[in-house]
Amino acid sequence: MKRIGLFGGTFDPPHHGHVHIARAFADELQLESVIFIPAGLPYHKSIYSDTTNAQRLAMVERIMTLDDRFSVSDCDLLRKGPTYTFDTVAQFREVFPQKQLWWLVGMDSLQQLPKWYRYQALLENTNFAIAARGEIGLGAMPQELQEWLPNALAKSRSEIDGNDGGRAYILQAAYLPISSTSIRSHWSRGNHDGVPATVVEYIDQEGLYRA
Ligand code: ATP
């Protein structure tokens, strides 16, 4: 069974934390590709920056050379209205009817899942690949997810193949403490730690994160 990773995010900017988990998930879950999907209007997240959609897309395009399993889709940027992961997954399901789809997510985002549009259907339709994020442990997950997780983990072990959803996997690779928020706030002081060189070049060229 071929598996595809779908990696949604604001990517403002993309950083080595993103690259690291995308690669590690691809290795551990044997994903044939990881599709980065910059979010259009994330209704559950405010963007505190002036970066445009085109600039976020351009930055993600610049990290595609870092791994030949990486690709990018602008589907969420083109879709009108708010970005619902449910719609994004449905769109990819049509493109890849016979593949196992994995939504890659950090623990901080996963915690918000019960606020997502049609999240229960999403838990059934797709598979969740979960990366730790700092101190946020599994115990901090909302009750609904605490109830879902054990069966979902068991399904990914017992029913390895299948183009259906309902599986969960927890990343084994180490956590890299990098966030876009901290990069944006340190940028004007000349601290570019955690940002791939090609992205640093683009940010400087466009004059982003100066304020
Ligand atoms: P911000 O600081 O602006 O909230 P971010 O660094 O969390 O941004 P996003 O583009 O929002 O980056 O993240 C996309 C996805 O990647 C989310 O599911 C997030 O949890 C996950 N993620 C981002 N950075 C890391 C990291 N260092 N380790 C694990 N997961 C991460």
Side-chain angles (χ1 to χ4, degrees):
M1 169 64 60
K2 300 271 192 194
R3 302 195 181 101
I4 306 263
L6 304 174
F7 191 15
T10 38
F11 303 117
D12 185 20
H15 51 65
H16 281 305
H18 297 126
V19 174
H20 169 69
I21 68 166
R23 272 201 183 122
F25 277 130
D27 291 342
E28 293 181 22
L29 284 168
Q30 288 156 3
L31 304 175
E32 65 172 308
S33 66
V34 174
I35 306 174
F36 286 65
I37 310 169
L41 286 173
Y43 69 101
H44 51 75
K45 185 169 177 179
S46 346
I47 301 185
Y48 300 105
S49 97
D50 298 328
T51 319
T52 65
N53 287 353
Q55 286 168 328
R56 289 187 296 114
L57 178 64
M59 288 192 280
V60 173
E61 281 168 348
R62 285 187 165 231
I63 60 169
M64 293 300 104
T65 51
L66 299 180
D67 195 298
D68 59 13
R69 293 165 297 187
F70 289 178
S71 66
V72 58
S73 166
D74 59 2
C75 67
D76 276 1
L77 297 174
L78 298 177
R79 196 174 329 110
K80 295 210 177 1
T83 300
Y84 295 128
T85 303
F86 180 84
D87 295 337
T88 311
V89 170
Q91 209 168 328
F92 280 99
R93 172 52 64 214
E94 277 179 29
V95 181
F96 302 116
Q98 295 310 328
K99 304 216 170 165
Q100 196 174 81
L101 301 183
W102 284 84
W103 188 261
L104 314 189
V105 71
M107 188 65 87
D108 57 316
S109 306
L110 185 75
Q111 271 192 313
Q112 304 300 319
L113 193 98
K115 295 185 196 149
W116 295 10
Y117 173 68
R118 300 196 63 185
Y119 84 93
Q120 277 149 330
L122 191 62
L123 289 174
E124 283 164 28
N125 296 346
T126 191
N127 301 288
F128 279 86
I130 307 160
R133 194 101 198 247
E135 302 301 305
I136 310 171
L138 293 175
M141 284 193 316
Q143 190 61 31
E144 299 94 310
L145 297 181
Q146 306 259 11
E147 285 162 15
W148 155 81
L149 190 64
N151 287 340
L153 289 171
K155 180 167 180 176
S156 70
R157 288 188 292 266
S158 62
E159 293 174 48
I160 295 161
D161 287 334
N163 62 353
D164 55 345
R167 295 175 187 77
Y169 176 81
I170 295 173
L171 188 71
Q172 301 298 303
Y175 163 66
L176 292 189
I178 306 173
S179 78
S180 300
T181 304
S182 119
I183 291 165
R184 290 194 300 275
S185 66
H186 295 139
W187 196 267
S188 59
R189 279 177 256 146
N191 183 347
H192 303 162
D193 290 352
V195 187
T198 51
V199 177
V200 172
E201 190 183 63
Y202 181 84
I203 294 171
D204 282 340
Q205 189 183 302
E206 296 287 304
L208 301 178
Y209 314 132
R210 279 193 184 150

